Amino acid sequence: MAHHLYGLSCIFLIHIFYPARSGAFGVRDNEISGDTAVGVKYGMRFLSEDLPGTFIESLQLGSNTVDDMKNGYFWNVNEQIKFACKRLGKLEQLKGGYNAIGFSQGGQFLRGLAERCPNPPMRNLISLGGQHQGVFGLPHCSAPNMSWCEIIDKCISKFAYLSWIQQRLVQAEYWHDPFREEMYKTHSIFLADINNENIQNEEYKLNLQKLDNLVLVKFERDTMVQPRESEWFGYYKPGGDKSMLTLQESLLYKEDRIGLKTLDEAHKLHFLSVDGDHLQFTKDWFRVNILKPFLV
C-alpha cells in the first residue's frame, strides 16, 4: 500500500516558496533548514526516495508563489485550515488517511487541522519546531536575557490582540502574552481556540485523540522561537516570562483539555529533541527518529 504524506512547510515568520511545499525539506551542508527553494526541492526528492510510492500533495496558499508568501503572513489561519480541509477532502488518494509534517508554525496549523477536519483522517502528526503554546518574543531576541527584547515584546502585545490585527496578521494569532493571560484567552482567534482555553470543544479533543502518534520535536538551541519550550507545549507561568511550566504541569494536560494526557498515557505522544537551532537537523537524524518509527 502506498504511503500518503501531507505536510505544511512553514517557517516562523518566513515561508518556504516552492510549489511542492508540503512535506518538504530544505537541505544545506547536510543539515535541513528550509530557507531556500532549491533546498526544499532537494528535500522533497530525499523524502520521495526514502518512501517510494508515497503520494505527496502540495498546498499552495494562492495561485502563485507571491500570493503564497503574502497569505502566509496575512491570511487568517482559520480560513487557511478551512481551505486545507476542503482541498484534502477532494483527494481520492487521502481518503484512507494520511501522515502530516508541520514545519515551525505549520506544526500548530496542522494540529488545528487534525482537531477541526477529521475527514480524511490524519494518522501521524510530526511537529518540527511548532509553537503549540504560542510565542512571546521576536526571533533571535531572547527576553529576559536581553532587557530591550522584553520591552519590545510588551509593546507588540499592546497591538497583537486588536480585532483587526488578529483577523489579518497570522503571527498575532498565536501570540501568547503571559502577562495578560486573560487577554490572550479571550482575544486570540486561533491558538486559544484549538487549545480549548475558553470553551471546551469536545470534538477537538476527540479528533486529536484519533491520531496514531503526535510527535513533538524541540530544537534545544532554538533562537527563532521564544520560548522554545512551546515546541513541547511548555510555556511561561502566567504573570511572568522567567519561570516555565512543562506540559505535564499545565492545566491543559492535567484537565486533558485537548486529549494530550490521554495520548500520553496511550504512548502516542512523543517528545524528541535536536541539539541545534530552529529546523536544523540532519537527514540521518530524520531517517532514524522520524521516518523509521512513524512514517514507514
Side-chain angles (χ1 to χ4, degrees):
M1 179 181 291
H3 298 278
H4 302 314
L5 180 67
Y6 190 94
L8 276 175
S9 302
C10 300
I11 302 245
F12 177 65
L13 293 180
I14 304 173
H15 276 247
I16 296 171
F17 313 128
Y18 180 66
R21 285 176 48 193
S22 301
F25 304 89
V27 180
R28 181 180 60 197
D29 297 329
N30 199 37
E31 290 195 334
I32 298 182
S33 54
D35 54 359
T36 67
V38 173
V40 172
K41 183 177 180 179
Y42 182 86
M44 287 294 292
R45 184 175 64 198
F46 148 73
L47 185 61
S48 297
E49 290 172 355
D50 278 44
L51 293 175
T54 299
F55 174 80
I56 301 176
E57 165 65 8
S58 62
L59 179 67
Q60 181 170 284
L61 302 176
S63 59
N64 53 61
T65 54
V66 174
D67 287 343
D68 193 30
M69 176 179 65
K70 180 178 66 175
N71 289 332
Y73 289 105
F74 303 115
W75 192 17
N76 189 303
V77 179
N78 299 305
E79 296 302 318
Q80 292 188 38
I81 290 176
K82 290 179 183 178
F83 171 81
C85 184
K86 185 176 181 180
R87 177 78 173 271
L88 268 65
K90 295 180 179 179
L91 296 171
E92 291 292 329
Q93 298 92 331
L94 302 186
K95 286 189 179 298
Y98 63 97
N99 299 317
I101 301 175
F103 289 76
S104 195
Q105 65 180 14
Q108 61 264 35
F109 296 172
L110 281 172
R111 177 165 63 85
L113 184 68
E115 293 180 12
R116 296 175 177 176
C117 182
N119 295 303
M122 187 184 295
R123 302 301 187 188
N124 297 292
L125 172 54
I126 314 298
S127 171
L128 297 162
Q131 303 96 50
H132 294 278
Q133 282 282 25
V135 297
F136 184 64
L138 296 175
H140 310 297
C141 191
S142 179
N145 296 330
M146 299 179 184
S147 59
W148 60 273
C149 291
E150 192 164 14
I151 294 172
I152 292 174
D153 294 346
K154 291 179 179 178
C155 289
I156 293 174
S157 286
K158 289 185 178 181
F159 304 100
Y161 299 121
L162 294 176
S163 177
W164 67 274
I165 294 288
Q166 283 287 310
Q167 293 291 337
R168 293 171 175 82
L169 183 61
V170 166
Q171 287 71 35
E173 295 178 55
Y174 56 88
W175 184 263
H176 185 171
D177 185 343
F179 292 95
R180 301 198 296 169
E181 194 72 19
E182 290 305 314
M183 180 70 74
Y184 152 70
K185 290 179 180 180
T186 56
H187 289 79
S188 170
I189 66 172
F190 171 67
L191 187 66
D193 179 67
I194 66 168
N195 283 356
N196 276 344
E197 296 281 13
N198 297 303
I199 300 172
Q200 182 62 33
N201 189 321
E202 289 297 327
E203 287 191 11
Y204 289 180
K205 180 178 179 178
L206 291 173
N207 288 337
L208 196 65
Q209 289 174 341
K210 293 175 183 177
L211 288 174
D212 294 334
N213 293 284
L214 172 56
V215 183
L216 305 172
V217 179
K218 180 176 72 170
F219 295 87
E220 297 290 354
R221 290 185 285 146
D222 203 321
T223 59
M224 182 72 71
V225 176
Q226 312 293 342
R228 66 179 66 94
E229 287 81 3
S230 183
E231 297 168 2
W232 278 3
F233 276 95
Y235 211 66
Y236 299 115
K237 291 182 179 179
D241 61 356
K242 296 177 175 61
S243 299
M244 305 294 304
L245 286 175
T246 66
L247 167 62
Q248 291 76 10
E249 294 170 328
S250 69
L251 291 178
L252 181 72
Y253 184 89
K254 291 178 179 180
E255 297 178 354
D256 206 18
R257 291 178 180 172
I258 59 173
L260 294 176
K261 185 178 181 181
T262 299
L263 286 173
D264 196 15
E265 292 175 346
H267 307 291
K268 295 181 177 181
L269 180 61
H270 309 272
F271 301 90
L272 305 182
S273 64
V274 178
D275 184 24
D277 204 341
H278 195 59
L279 300 185
Q280 295 293 307
F281 55 94
T282 65
K283 290 185 289 184
D284 287 342
W285 179 91
F286 191 89
R287 288 186 177 107
V288 170
N289 293 281
I290 303 297
L291 276 182
K292 291 181 179 179
F294 304 110
L295 301 179
V296 174

